[in-house]
Amino acid sequence: LASQDIILSLLGSGEWVSGEEMAGRLSISRAAVWKQIQILRKRGYDIASSTRKGYRLASGPDLLHPDRILGCLKTKWMGRSLNLFDSVTSTNAVALSMAEESPHGAVILAETQSEGRGRLSRPWASPAGGIWMSIILKPQMPLSHVSRINMALSVALCRSISAVAGLQAAIKWPNDILIGERDEEGNWDGKERKVCGILTEMKAEVDRLDYVVVGLGINANVDLSAFPEEWNATSLAKEAGHPVPRADLICRILEEAELACEKAAGSAEDFQDIYQEWRSHSATLNRWVRISSADGEMMGMAADLDFDGALILELEGGGRSRILAGDCIHLRPCLHREAA
Amino acid sequence: LASQDIILSLLGSGEWVSGEEMAGRLSISRAAVWKQIQILRKRGYDIASSTRKGYRLASGPDLLHPDRILGCLKTKWMGRSLNLFDSVTSTNAVALSMAEESPHGAVILAETQSEGRGRLSRPWASPAGGIWMSIILKPQMPLSHVSRINMALSVALCRSISAVAGLQAAIKWPNDILIGERDEEGNWDGKERKVCGILTEMKAEVDRLDYVVVGLGINANVDLSAFPEEWNATSLAKEAGHPVPRADLICRILEEAELACEKAAGSAEDFQDIYQEWRSHSATLNRWVRISSADGEMMGMAADLDFDGALILELEGGGRSRILAGDCIHLRPCLHREAA
């Protein structure tokens, strides 16, 4: 580790640390500590100094640093192994390649992705300012419960976005998080925009889950000007009116994800409240939707969401269909009235 | 390619090839062709020669060669991409790492494996003389149908072992192939020994199968002296009384596997005859067994085998249990009488 990194990790708690203590830890002079602090300030770290108390990290630039995240992280196992990269092809690809040797809850983070991807290998824009994170999970659960992981992470994201950015997040089935507003009757206003996507991948034997990799792509403070309008994307910064503290959001997500994943790996009873919360945060339920899946295209009313994550579609032509995953387009009420 | 490899591929069909033709293809003299043939003979290839007809490959040493396999292979897509290695850690590990870029039906073969593995990452002995082969499949099927691949390969192995080695093979649930004999009433004599194991691994999204890797470990002509008695292993060579032609067996397996996998990826009706054949070749059905699975240990009668590969166990204490996969020990009738 470079001296600056050691100083950053010492300051990671946000408490005052004396120059003498830092000098001792680094085996350098107090003048040399001062010089390193100046370099860190030039790099964007806001470091307060006091002749009596020493130094304190007031705020950092919007760059991620493992020590800062680990310094604020209150989890038992989630994110305890944290790997931060400047740029990777895709954090899911890196996580899949590292999964065999990684512990349960290991996290891969990158400032940018050159080949970020979403469901069905579709490209995913990943500029600086976002949170591009993959979590390696090795839960003891049957293969058929994997959709619970997706549901648990959706709930964890909604809770964290609400707590850290003060925004109301909703879940677009099957794997997107939207920011939007409801009217007095609790109906979405139809102007929700996508702020996050979840990509759950797994490696398994016929009867045994080896590991799951959950990729989260969050448009935290990204510059939206490069996103085409038809992507219907927004950022947390735009919705909140100010940049969100990424490290804090990451910590909160990992804390909520630990709780939710433990419930997902438990009994049906354990998972019950995650399921209820997932269902109640749905932006899809009771909406007219068009679904494309391996079985073809269908239009209808999203009548229910099952305990295993499946969407129950009341078909336009009558009858019901149960769909585990697919592309979902929310139809605007007026558009549907025209079509109907 | 070296001249010898080109000559081998020209001779691969087993037909006569004139020295003149080979000299032309290689742009060398007929005398130089003769010299290369001598080298091949020293390496163990039995090459007949005739002044009138040229050269013919009568038989090769028991070494695998892609050209020889491709020369005899009658498949549309299975094994058309063939990768032969002298030694690898495990063909499944190599196949998993190559799967993304490989075509449907690509095959990885190795003369030996240093870290061969079976179900639940257990070690698998893989000395020279065996067939250590992994097949990369990218079938269009729901995740829940993956067990069909395991069943299809089991049937393909039984058919191939019967056709090439003249031996009656049986399927020990869930993923082993045994060689044994039945008495007049159709009951197994209890002396069956394991000759092959199947390891099916997959990579998937929640709703989409990305690829399946099926590893086949076949004790074809291996030296059994290094296998501890308690493994209850045998080889095709020991059972048949002579070495089996590995290249012929590989071709047959790939041909049968192509047919069976196409049926597995089809409708329930398409898969019906593979299921029936899989069930009828079972060495487990109607036997007393002890099963260890994620749900614990159970003892009972193997009463049925379901269409999805599950074992229906009539429990010793009453009731039935449905098990998708687990460790299965066939109890000898006398042992069970003692226990009961």
Side-chain angles (χ1 to χ4, degrees), chain A residues 99-112:
Chain A
E100 204 92 48
E101 291 78 30
S102 295
H104 180 49
V107 164
I108 314 297
L109 268 165
E111 290 288 359
T112 60

Side-chain angles (χ1 to χ4, degrees), chain B residues 16-17 34 37-38 41 46-58:
Chain B
W16 287 100
V17 183
W34 172 251
I37 294 283
Q38 293 306 97
R41 282 175 172 160
D46 180 7
I47 299 171
S49 59
S50 145
T51 355
R52 202 167 49 83
K53 298 188 251 178
Y55 302 98
R56 192 176 72 83
L57 182 63

Side-chain angles (χ1 to χ4, degrees), chain A:
Chain A
L1 277 176
S3 300
Q4 289 151 37
D5 289 324
I6 297 169
I7 288 174
L8 268 183
S9 75
L10 290 171
L11 294 172
S13 67
E15 301 299 317
W16 287 101
V17 183
S18 72
E20 199 172 347
E21 186 185 338
M22 287 199 272
R25 294 281 192 100
L26 285 154
S27 307
I28 58 177
S29 68
R30 286 177 65 175
V33 168
W34 173 253
K35 209 170 145 192
Q36 297 295 330
I37 294 283
Q38 293 306 96
I39 294 170
L40 284 168
R41 282 177 173 161
K42 277 194 192 124
R43 278 173 56 196
Y45 290 91
D46 180 7
I47 300 171
S49 59
S50 145
T51 355
R52 201 166 50 85
K53 298 188 251 178
Y55 303 97
R56 192 177 72 85
L57 183 62
S59 71
D62 196 30
L63 278 175
L64 299 174
H65 193 284
D67 290 330
R68 282 201 61 199
I69 296 169
L70 290 171
C72 77
L73 190 64
K74 296 174 195 74
T75 58
K76 294 195 296 286
W77 51 268
M78 181 71 84
R80 286 288 147 202
S81 160
L82 196 68
N83 306 276
L84 173 66
F85 298 91
D86 189 43
S87 181
V88 296
T89 51
S90 111
T91 56
N92 259 38
V94 171
L96 286 166
S97 74
M98 292 172 60
E100 204 92 48
E101 291 78 30
S102 295
H104 180 49
V107 164
I108 314 297
L109 268 165
E111 290 288 359
T112 60
Q113 299 182 112
S114 58
E115 295 166 34
R117 54 194 167 83
R119 274 187 65 233
L120 312 178
S121 309
R122 288 173 188 149
W124 180 275
S126 322
I131 296 175
W132 322 118
M133 172 160 76
S134 293
I135 305 174
I136 297 165
L137 298 169
K138 302 184 171 183
Q140 297 280 330
M141 55 161 65
L143 224 58
S144 55
H145 286 192
V146 167
S147 55
R148 287 189 184 184
I149 298 286
N150 188 49
M151 294 154 84
L153 264 297
S154 300
V155 167
L157 282 166
C158 287
R159 288 185 187 175
S160 306
I161 288 170
S162 165
V164 177
L167 295 166
Q168 216 182 63
I171 303 164
K172 177 167 175 279
W173 185 92
N175 67 332
D176 290 333
I177 305 293
L178 310 179
I179 302 291
E181 293 195 8
R182 297 181 196 240
D183 63 19
E184 312 81 61
E185 291 167 32
N187 296 315
W188 294 93
D189 65 2
K191 291 181 201 137
E192 316 84 68
R193 284 173 173 264
K194 182 164 168 174
V195 78
C196 173
I198 304 172
L199 173 63
T200 303
E201 300 187 277
M202 65 178 132
K203 158 83 167 50
E205 290 180 26
V206 173
D207 57 323
R208 184 185 68 155
L209 198 55
D210 293 324
Y211 49 80
V212 180
V213 166
V214 193
L216 309 178
I218 308 170
N219 300 336
N221 304 324
V222 299
D223 176 4
L224 289 168
S225 63
F227 288 55
E229 176 60 24
E230 59 269 28
W231 286 8
N232 205 31
T234 190
S235 70
L236 294 176
K238 183 183 171 190
E239 299 293 326
H242 56 79
V244 296
R246 288 191 303 158
D248 293 352
L249 184 56
I250 289 166
C251 282
R252 188 62 180 251
I253 290 168
L254 294 174
E255 287 158 17
E256 297 287 356
E258 180 175 275
L259 293 173
C261 285
E262 283 182 355
K263 289 179 176 175
S267 66
E269 206 179 349
D270 292 332
F271 187 59
Q272 187 65 35
D273 64 333
I274 298 293
Y275 162 65
Q276 291 298 351
E277 195 169 332
W278 174 74
R279 196 174 174 285
S280 73
H281 275 85
S282 177
T284 304
L285 196 59
N286 298 322
R287 293 270 289 256
W288 284 97
V289 295
R290 188 167 63 234
I291 307 286
S292 308
S293 75
D295 299 330
E297 203 160 283
M298 282 173 284
M299 207 148 90
M301 167 63 80
D304 207 352
L305 290 163
D306 258 3
F307 195 67
D308 67 350
L311 175 73
I312 308 297
L313 197 64
E314 224 156 58
L315 297 170
E316 217 189 6
R320 286 189 158 213
S321 187
R322 201 176 171 287
I323 310 151
L324 201 56
D327 291 324
C328 171
I329 292 171
H330 289 171
L331 303 173
R332 282 162 209 261
C334 56
L335 285 179
H336 184 73
R337 268 200 292 275
E338 276 170 43

Side-chain angles (χ1 to χ4, degrees), chain B residues 17-235:
Chain B
V17 183
S18 72
E20 200 172 346
E21 187 184 337
M22 287 198 271
R25 293 280 192 101
L26 285 156
S27 306
I28 57 175
S29 68
R30 287 178 63 174
V33 168
W34 172 251
K35 209 171 144 193
Q36 296 295 331
I37 294 283
Q38 293 306 97
I39 294 170
L40 284 168
R41 282 175 172 160
K42 275 192 193 127
R43 279 174 53 195
Y45 290 91
D46 180 7
I47 299 171
S49 59
S50 145
T51 355
R52 202 167 49 83
K53 298 188 251 178
Y55 302 98
R56 192 176 72 83
L57 182 63
S59 72
D62 195 30
L63 277 177
L64 299 174
H65 194 284
D67 290 330
R68 280 201 64 201
I69 296 168
L70 290 171
C72 78
L73 190 64
K74 296 176 196 73
T75 59
K76 292 195 297 286
W77 50 269
M78 181 72 84
R80 287 288 146 201
S81 161
L82 196 68
N83 306 276
L84 174 65
F85 298 90
D86 190 41
S87 181
V88 295
T89 52
S90 114
T91 57
N92 259 39
V94 171
L96 286 167
S97 73
M98 292 171 60
E100 204 92 45
E101 291 77 32
S102 296
H104 181 49
V107 165
I108 315 296
L109 268 164
E111 290 289 358
T112 61
Q113 299 182 112
S114 58
E115 296 167 34
R117 54 194 167 85
R119 272 187 66 233
L120 312 179
S121 310
R122 288 172 189 149
W124 179 275
S126 321
I131 296 175
W132 322 119
M133 172 159 76
S134 293
I135 306 174
I136 297 166
L137 298 169
K138 301 184 172 183
Q140 297 280 330
M141 55 162 65
L143 224 59
S144 55
H145 286 193
V146 167
S147 56
R148 286 190 184 182
I149 298 285
N150 188 49
M151 295 154 85
L153 264 297
S154 300
V155 167
L157 282 166
C158 288
R159 287 185 187 173
S160 305
I161 289 170
S162 164
V164 177
L167 295 167
Q168 219 182 60
I171 303 164
K172 177 167 175 282
W173 184 91
N175 68 330
D176 290 333
I177 305 293
L178 310 177
I179 303 291
E181 293 196 7
R182 297 179 195 243
D183 64 19
E184 312 82 60
E185 292 167 30
N187 296 316
W188 295 94
D189 64 2
K191 292 181 201 136
E192 316 85 65
R193 284 173 173 264
K194 182 164 168 174
V195 78
C196 173
I198 304 172
L199 173 62
T200 303
E201 298 186 277
M202 65 178 131
K203 160 81 168 49
E205 290 180 28
V206 173
D207 56 322
R208 183 185 70 157
L209 198 55
D210 292 323
Y211 49 79
V212 180
V213 166
V214 194
L216 309 177
I218 309 170
N219 300 336
N221 304 324
V222 299
D223 176 4
L224 289 168
S225 62
F227 287 56
E229 176 61 23
E230 60 269 28
W231 286 8
N232 205 30
T234 190
S235 69

